[in-house]
Amino acid sequence: MSVDTALAPDSIAADPAHDDLPLARLYGEPLLKLPNDLYIPPDALAIFLDAFEGPLDLLLYLIRKQNFNILDIPMAQVTRQYLGYIEQVRLHNLELAAEYLLMAAMLIEIKSRMLLPVKKADDEEAADPRAELVRRLLEYEQMKLAARQIDELPQIGRDTVAAQIHIEQNLVLRWPEVNAADLQAAWADLQKRARLVAHHTINRETLSVRAHMTGILRRLQSARFVEFSDLFQPEMGVPVLVVNFIALLELAKETLIEITQAEAFAPIYVRLSYTPS
C-alpha cells in the first residue's frame, strides 16, 4: 500500500510514475481503478492509517519505497510526504496523530539546521544533522528484519502440528524361563533361611574392657611398635575381638597410646604415647 495513494489520490493520479500502482487487491487481484458504484464509508481510511507501527516505521517506508539513500535522505521531500500523512491522520484520528508530531518536529528541525550556513569558526567536518535520525532508522530496520526472520521460523500450532500417536499395547503374561542356576540359587536361599530359624543356646561370657586395656599396655611396654593386627587373637572368637577393640579405642581416647600409619594403605602400628620426663 502506497502512503501517497491512500492520502492524496488526486496528486498521485497526475503523476505518470504512479499510473500502474494498484489501489488495492481484491481476492489477490490488483485493482487499478475504483468501481463507479463503490461506496467508501467515512471511517474506511482508518484501516490504512493504522498499517504503520509508529513514526519510524512510516519514515522508513517513505525512504525505502522511493529508493532513497538512507545515508543521504532528501529531507524536504520526505518531510513533505510525512506531513501529508499526519494531516490525513489528524482528520480521522487526532489521538493517533499525536504520536507522529514529535517525529515531524524533528524532521523540520533537521531541515532547518541543514539550511543554516556553516560558520567558518566551526570545525571543517561538522556533524551531519541527519546522523542521529539515520542511526535510529538503521537500528529500527535491523530489529524489524530480525522480528520478521523470527516470525518466519516454524511454529507449533501455526506451521506444524505436534504428532500424537496412540500405541495400543497388548498385555500378554509371559512366564520367565527357569534354568538349573535359578534352582540352585533358590535351594541355597532355603538353606540360609533354615539356618536363621535354628535354635541355639547363648552362654554369657564375662569380658572386662579394663582387663584388656591392661593387657594391651603390657604388650606395648615390651616393644616400641606393634602392628595393629598383632594385638588381636582371632581364634578367641568374635566377642573377645570386639572387647579388645573397644579397649584399644579407650586407650586412644585417654591418649595413652598412639595409632600411626606411614602412608595411605600402609600397615597400621600402635605404640605408647610419648610422655616427656
Side-chain angles (χ1 to χ4, degrees), residues 3-277:
V3 174
D4 293 335
T5 302
L7 302 179
D10 296 336
S11 60
I12 296 302
D15 189 356
H18 296 79
D19 290 343
D20 297 335
L21 293 177
L23 299 176
R25 289 186 175 274
L26 183 62
Y27 298 106
E29 298 295 332
L31 187 65
L32 300 179
K33 63 179 182 179
L34 296 176
N36 297 329
D37 56 348
L38 178 64
Y39 170 72
I40 302 179
D43 297 334
L45 190 59
I47 301 176
F48 297 92
L49 296 179
D50 292 341
F52 299 102
E53 298 179 359
L56 284 177
D57 196 22
L58 170 60
L59 191 59
L60 186 63
Y61 173 82
L62 295 175
I63 295 174
R64 293 307 188 193
K65 187 66 177 179
Q66 302 176 78
N67 295 325
F68 291 149
N69 184 4
I70 196 171
L71 300 178
D72 188 15
I73 303 174
M75 297 304 302
Q77 188 174 354
V78 172
T79 304
R80 188 181 305 110
Q81 296 177 3
Y82 188 89
L83 292 177
Y85 176 83
I86 293 182
E87 182 64 23
Q88 293 297 326
V89 173
R90 186 184 63 80
L91 296 177
H92 295 81
N93 193 336
L94 184 60
E95 182 179 356
L96 181 63
E99 302 178 5
Y100 294 81
L101 290 178
L102 181 59
M103 179 60 68
M106 180 183 295
L107 294 176
I108 296 174
E109 179 189 3
I110 294 175
K111 181 59 182 175
S112 302
R113 291 171 58 188
M114 293 178 64
L115 294 176
L116 294 176
V118 181
K119 297 181 181 180
K120 296 182 179 180
D122 295 343
D123 297 335
E124 296 181 359
E125 297 182 358
D128 192 341
R130 300 169 294 181
E132 178 63 20
L133 178 62
V134 170
R135 183 190 64 80
R136 293 177 58 185
L137 286 172
L138 291 176
E139 290 181 354
Y140 177 78
E141 188 176 29
Q142 292 178 356
M143 297 299 295
K144 188 174 182 180
L145 178 60
R148 186 182 300 113
Q149 293 175 350
I150 294 176
D151 185 65
E152 292 175 355
L153 296 176
Q155 298 183 13
I156 295 179
R158 186 193 68 178
D159 304 313
T160 59
V161 179
Q164 298 180 357
I165 302 176
H166 176 70
I167 301 177
E168 184 177 357
Q169 297 181 353
N170 296 326
L171 298 179
V172 179
L173 186 60
R174 298 183 60 184
W175 298 101
E177 297 181 358
V178 181
N179 51 29
D182 297 331
L183 291 175
Q184 183 179 2
W187 173 247
D189 184 66
L190 287 175
Q191 291 180 332
K192 182 178 179 181
R193 291 168 58 185
R195 286 194 297 268
L196 291 176
V197 298
H199 298 281
H200 57 279
T201 303
I202 299 176
N203 296 323
R204 182 177 180 181
E205 182 180 0
T206 303
L207 298 174
S208 174
V209 176
R210 183 63 60 182
H212 282 75
M213 293 173 60
T214 304
I216 293 174
L217 291 176
R218 188 179 296 110
R219 175 74 181 276
L220 294 176
Q221 287 177 355
S222 60
R224 184 177 180 183
F225 288 95
V226 177
E227 192 172 351
F228 178 80
S229 58
D230 292 342
L231 295 175
F232 298 90
Q233 298 178 356
E235 63 275 5
M236 298 297 294
V238 175
V240 177
L241 292 178
V242 173
V243 174
N244 200 32
F245 183 68
I246 294 176
L248 188 68
L249 295 179
E250 288 292 335
L251 291 173
K253 179 180 178 181
E254 296 177 4
T255 65
L256 296 177
I257 63 173
E258 293 181 0
I259 302 175
T260 60
Q261 187 180 28
E263 58 184 0
F265 305 107
I268 299 176
Y269 292 93
V270 182
R271 70 173 182 178
L272 293 175
S273 298
Y274 173 73
T275 55
S277 56

